[in-house]
Amino acid sequence: MKRLTVLRHAKSSWKDRELDDFERPLNGRGRRAASRVGREMAERGMRFDLVVASPAARIRETIAGVEEHHKLEAPVRFEPRIYMARVAELMELIRALPDDVHSALLVGHNTSAERLVAKLSVDDEAGLRRRVEEKFPTAALAAIELPINSWSEVEPEQGRLVELIYPVDLGD
């Protein structure tokens, strides 16, 4: 069994319209949401063997916000291919993960993050997948259990969505 957790970056700032998209930072709401999600991750005891993330500024700041309450304690590998990736590219990246990694956190962008979660998971009684298909907001996190021994075995619709965190559900 492998576990893939997908985290969409928190809300970014559009204050400086001259700034390149790659360099856009988080806004205040985004920083607060990343911190809240990190606290929730810590409370749920989420642990990872590897973090794979886009190198974009808003991703780095999202990770920093998460780490205010949740020390990831896993190596972070910044992967340029995640920025502007299509789902097929993310699938390739996941299939290439080392097999000694049992729990991976992928930190990326929409729409690919939302589409990846929907592609990997099957419909569930709790309606988690349906909720993701309707909206996967900034700083949302989805954990998928995959019945595989090797990441190279990852296929569409084989995972079970087991955790879904939306900042709006966390209050404060």
Side-chain angles (χ1 to χ4, degrees):
M1 184 72 71
K2 302 282 188 191
R3 185 178 185 127
L4 177 69
T5 302
V6 178
L7 173 63
R8 181 181 173 194
H9 68 77
K11 185 79 173 157
S12 60
S13 173
W14 289 91
K15 187 176 182 181
D16 183 352
R17 298 279 181 184
E18 300 293 316
L19 202 58
D20 183 70
D21 179 71
F22 189 83
E23 299 301 327
R24 278 191 297 116
L26 296 183
N27 65 18
R29 187 175 111 197
R31 284 189 293 279
R32 289 187 300 277
S35 180
R36 279 196 310 269
V37 168
R39 184 176 58 235
E40 184 69 17
M41 290 167 70
E43 288 175 8
R44 294 185 187 201
M46 299 177 97
R47 297 286 172 256
F48 308 99
D49 302 313
L50 178 66
V51 178
V52 184
S54 163
R58 58 192 177 275
I59 299 282
R60 291 175 181 270
E61 289 185 22
T62 296
I63 292 170
V66 165
E67 288 190 312
E68 289 176 11
H69 296 287
H70 184 291
K71 299 303 173 208
L72 293 172
E73 298 176 353
V76 178
R77 186 177 89 202
F78 289 102
E79 176 56 62
R81 291 181 296 166
I82 295 174
Y83 181 72
M84 304 296 276
R86 295 183 329 266
V87 173
E89 293 165 312
L90 294 178
M91 292 288 286
E92 287 176 21
L93 193 135
I94 293 163
R95 288 184 181 123
L97 291 173
D99 285 332
D100 62 344
V101 170
H102 298 287
S103 181
L105 174 63
L106 186 146
V107 190
H109 308 267
N110 242 17
T111 61
S112 60
E114 174 182 316
R115 291 178 179 165
L116 177 67
V117 172
K119 184 176 189 97
L120 288 176
S121 58
V122 294
D123 287 330
D124 57 280
E125 290 179 17
L128 299 179
R129 182 173 183 258
R130 189 172 349 102
R131 190 171 183 205
V132 168
E133 288 175 321
E134 290 169 3
K135 185 172 185 177
F136 196 61
T138 53
L141 179 140
I144 306 163
E145 285 186 350
L146 298 156
I148 57 175
N149 294 313
S150 171
W151 290 104
S152 64
E153 301 170 2
V154 168
E155 293 295 333
E157 297 183 359
Q158 74 181 158
R160 186 169 64 93
L161 197 48
V162 293
E163 299 198 57
L164 187 60
I165 301 171
Y166 284 10
V168 69
D169 297 338
L170 302 177
D172 59 56

